[in-house]
Every structure is written in C-alpha cells, then in structure tokens.
Amino acid sequence: MDASVAETEWQQIAALVGALSEFALTSVVQLNAAVGGASGTRVEHRLVRLGRLDISGEPANADQLTAARAELLRRASRNTAALATYDGALALDPAPPDRAHLTRLREEPAST
C-alpha cells in the first residue's frame, strides 16, 4: 500500500539519507538527498538542489533523475513542465516496472 505524501516522515527520510551519504556518496544517494523532504513549500528548493546534481558520468541513472524532477514539478503545480519531463523520462527507455510507474504518474490528474 502506498503511503500518502502527507503521511511520509520527510524529516526522518532526510536524516537517514544524510547519514547514508557519509558512507556511500553515490549518485542515487545524492538524488535521494536532493529530493528527500520534498513537501510543501520546500519543493522549489528541492528542484534547485536536483538541478545542481551532476550524474553525467552515470547515464544509467538519467531516467531516475528525470523522473524525480517530473515528480517535483508536479508537486510544485508546474503541470505543463511536469508532463513534458515525464515524457522525457519515458523516452529514456526505463525498465518495465519504472515505465509503468511513470506512466501511471503521468496520467494522474494535475494538482490544483
């Protein structure tokens, strides 16, 4: 069962990812650190952090970065940009489970 964004303990997630980054600063950990805590008014801040990530040396993670950006744009009610970014993530040919998840998110009604 999926927990709602409101039920997510963002501060705890951010603290855990911060602790993990002390041991393994991989692109996936950096990505999670950038988007962790992405709720409410902090979404725009998380988009800025996400934009600063450089995972160009790890193209296998490009779809994850693009998908994370799309979700943050959606949460920021920047729906046109979110749809275009979801399309970009889908164009990167993600694994079938990721493709199904991205397609479902893309088809959800826009936030108001």
Side-chain angles (χ1 to χ4, degrees), residues 79-102:
N79 300 318
T80 301
L83 286 174
T85 307
Y86 278 123
D87 288 343
L90 289 164
L92 292 170
D93 197 27
D98 294 332
R99 173 172 292 286
H101 179 70
L102 288 169

Side-chain angles (χ1 to χ4, degrees), residues 23-69:
F23 299 101
L25 194 56
T26 67
S27 61
V28 173
V29 172
Q30 291 178 56
L31 176 61
N32 282 303
V35 299
S39 63
T41 59
R42 300 181 64 168
V43 173
E44 291 295 335
H45 171 73
R46 299 298 175 180
L47 278 164
V48 170
R49 286 187 65 189
L50 194 62
R52 292 181 183 152
L53 286 182
D54 179 14
I55 63 166
S56 57
E58 300 181 49
N61 295 325
D63 61 330
Q64 295 171 352
L65 178 66
T66 307
R69 179 169 175 71

